[in-house]
Amino acid sequence: MTSPTPGYDERGLLIELEPEAGRLYDRHAAVAQEWFPHDFIPYRLGRDFDKDPWTPDQPRLTGVAQTSFEIGLLTEDNLPSYHRLIHGMFGRGDGAWINWVGRWTAEEGRHAIVLRDYLTVTRNIDPIALERGRMAQLQQGYDLDSPDTLHGLAYVTFQELATRIAHRNTGRYSDDPVADRIMVRIAADENLHMVFYRDILSAALKLQPSAAVCAIVDEVLRFKMPGAGIPGFVRKAAQIAKAGIYDLRVHREEVLMPIIRHWKIFELTGLDAAAEEARRRLAEHLEKLDAAARRFEERLASSTTPRLSSSGG
C-alpha cells in the first residue's frame, strides 16, 4: 500500500489539473490511430485443435521469445485490476479524468486480444498453458490499493514506457515479422499512454513541486513491473534480461533517465527539505543502478566469451 504524500490536497489537485487532463485527452484522441486486432493475425495458418492438437514441436518461437511473449500477454490480461486501480486514482475527479479512464481501458484491452490471437493461431505457445496462466493471473489480480494521484501518475509514467520498450524489444527478438508488427502497434499505444501521464505529471510538478518530486522518487526506488506476480517471474525476467530484451541498463537508460530529464528533476528550485532529500536518494539510486548494470554486463560477457583450451595453442 502506498501512503499518501503529505502536504497536498489530493481532491483539490485533481480539480486543478482537470483542464489540463482535458487538453491532453483531446490531444491523445486526435493522434491515436484506430486499429483492429484481426488485421494483424495470419488466420490462414489456423487449424482446428480438436483435429490437430498442439504439440511442443509446432511453435516457431522458442526459448526466451516464448517466455517474453507469455509474460507480456499475462501482464496485459490483468486489465480488470489495472482498471480498478486507475479508476481509484482518478475516479474522484470529473469529466476528463473519467473520459481518460474509459479511453485508456478500451485501448489497453486490444493488446491481450491481439497477443492471444497471434499466439493461438500460430501455435507459438501451448494454448492450454496460456489459458491456465490467464485464469491464475486474473484470480490473483494485481492486489494493491489505489495510490494517491502523484504516486499513481509517477508509477504509470515509468511503467507505460517500460512496457513499450519491453514489447518492442520482444518483437525484434522474435525474428518473426508478424510478431514484430504486432509489437510495434502495441508499443505505439503504450507510448501515447506514457506521454499523457508524463505530461499531466509535468503540470502537477508546477503546482506541487515538492510533493511530486517525493512521489516520483518513491516510485523509482520501489519500481516493479505489473507482471511481477506471475509464477516464475524472477526466473523468466532473468532470462529476458540475459537476452537484452529488458535489463537494468535498459531500465536505467531508456526508461528512468529520459523521463527524469524531461521533468528536470535535478534542475528544479525552491523545493522543501523532504524533496531535496528525495533527490539525493534518487541520485544515489541511479548510481547504484549503473554499477549493478555494469556488473551484470561484465558477468554476461565473461560467460559468453570463448575460453582458450587448457592444452595451449
Side-chain angles (χ1 to χ4, degrees):
M1 178 176 177
T2 301
S3 299
T5 302
Y8 82 98
D9 170 19
E10 186 175 2
R11 171 66 177 165
L13 181 64
L14 281 169
I15 293 171
E16 206 166 356
L17 286 174
E18 200 272 338
E20 180 67 0
R23 185 186 74 81
L24 293 174
Y25 176 88
D26 290 342
R27 183 185 71 179
H28 175 89
V31 299
Q33 295 182 353
E34 183 180 45
W35 62 278
F36 304 95
H38 70 269
D39 285 336
F40 291 77
I41 308 302
Y43 289 106
R44 66 188 180 279
L45 302 179
R47 306 192 299 278
D48 293 338
F49 283 95
D50 59 342
K51 297 175 182 176
D52 186 7
W54 186 88
T55 54
D57 61 308
Q58 292 173 357
R60 183 176 182 277
L61 299 178
T62 57
V64 179
Q66 272 189 337
T67 297
S68 196
F69 267 95
E70 176 198 11
I71 292 292
L73 174 55
L74 292 181
T75 298
E76 298 285 0
D77 273 331
N78 237 345
L79 182 59
S81 288
Y82 310 147
H83 173 85
R84 174 180 59 81
L85 287 169
I86 195 173
H87 192 277
M89 285 163 51
F90 301 145
R92 289 156 289 187
D94 298 313
W97 292 113
I98 298 303
N99 292 341
W100 173 255
V101 171
R103 178 75 185 227
W104 176 87
T105 303
E107 290 183 354
E108 285 285 340
R110 289 184 295 213
H111 300 169
I113 293 170
V114 73
L115 286 173
R116 176 165 282 98
D117 285 358
Y118 163 73
L119 293 171
T120 302
V121 169
T122 60
R123 296 180 174 237
N124 268 313
I125 296 182
D126 178 0
I128 293 176
L130 277 181
E131 177 58 12
R132 286 173 175 165
R134 188 192 69 84
M135 287 291 293
Q137 182 73 342
L138 265 72
Q139 288 179 79
Q140 173 180 278
Y142 191 61
D143 191 19
L144 298 173
D145 291 331
S146 290
D148 68 274
T149 301
L150 291 176
H151 279 94
L153 286 172
Y155 175 77
V156 292
T157 301
F158 292 117
Q159 178 269 317
E160 292 280 5
L161 183 52
T163 303
R164 184 201 96 185
I165 291 170
H167 281 332
R168 187 66 192 90
N169 288 347
T170 296
R172 290 194 186 102
Y173 186 88
S174 71
D175 197 28
D176 178 355
V178 175
D180 192 42
R181 181 169 173 256
I182 289 170
M183 289 310 209
V184 168
R185 181 57 264 175
I186 293 175
D189 280 0
E190 305 288 11
N191 192 63
L192 289 180
H193 297 163
M194 179 276 292
V195 169
F196 176 91
Y197 293 127
R198 183 198 67 190
D199 290 355
I200 197 69
L201 189 45
S202 291
L205 274 161
K206 294 177 182 177
L207 297 172
Q208 298 286 346
S210 293
V213 166
C214 288
I216 289 165
V217 174
D218 283 346
E219 296 306 321
V220 170
L221 267 58
R222 61 178 168 227
F223 183 84
K224 290 183 179 179
M225 291 292 272
I230 294 171
F233 179 83
V234 172
R235 172 179 53 81
K236 293 173 180 178
Q239 295 170 352
I240 290 168
K242 288 179 181 178
I245 294 172
Y246 197 93
D247 57 19
L248 285 174
R249 182 64 65 195
V250 170
H251 181 64
R252 185 187 189 277
E253 304 301 333
E254 299 182 37
V255 177
L256 299 183
M257 294 308 300
I259 295 173
I260 289 169
R261 292 190 188 105
H262 183 88
W263 285 330
K264 302 185 187 307
I265 297 299
F266 291 110
E267 301 168 34
L268 295 173
T269 58
L271 300 179
D272 63 21
E276 291 290 3
E277 171 60 17
R279 283 204 296 198
R280 184 198 65 76
R281 290 187 290 123
L282 176 61
E284 184 179 79
H285 179 72
L286 293 172
E287 289 179 4
K288 289 179 179 177
L289 274 181
D290 184 49
R294 195 179 311 114
R295 289 193 299 271
F296 176 80
E297 291 158 354
E298 289 169 354
R299 288 197 304 270
L300 193 61
S302 65
S303 68
T304 57
T305 301
R307 297 172 181 264
L308 293 175
S309 169
S310 59
S311 60

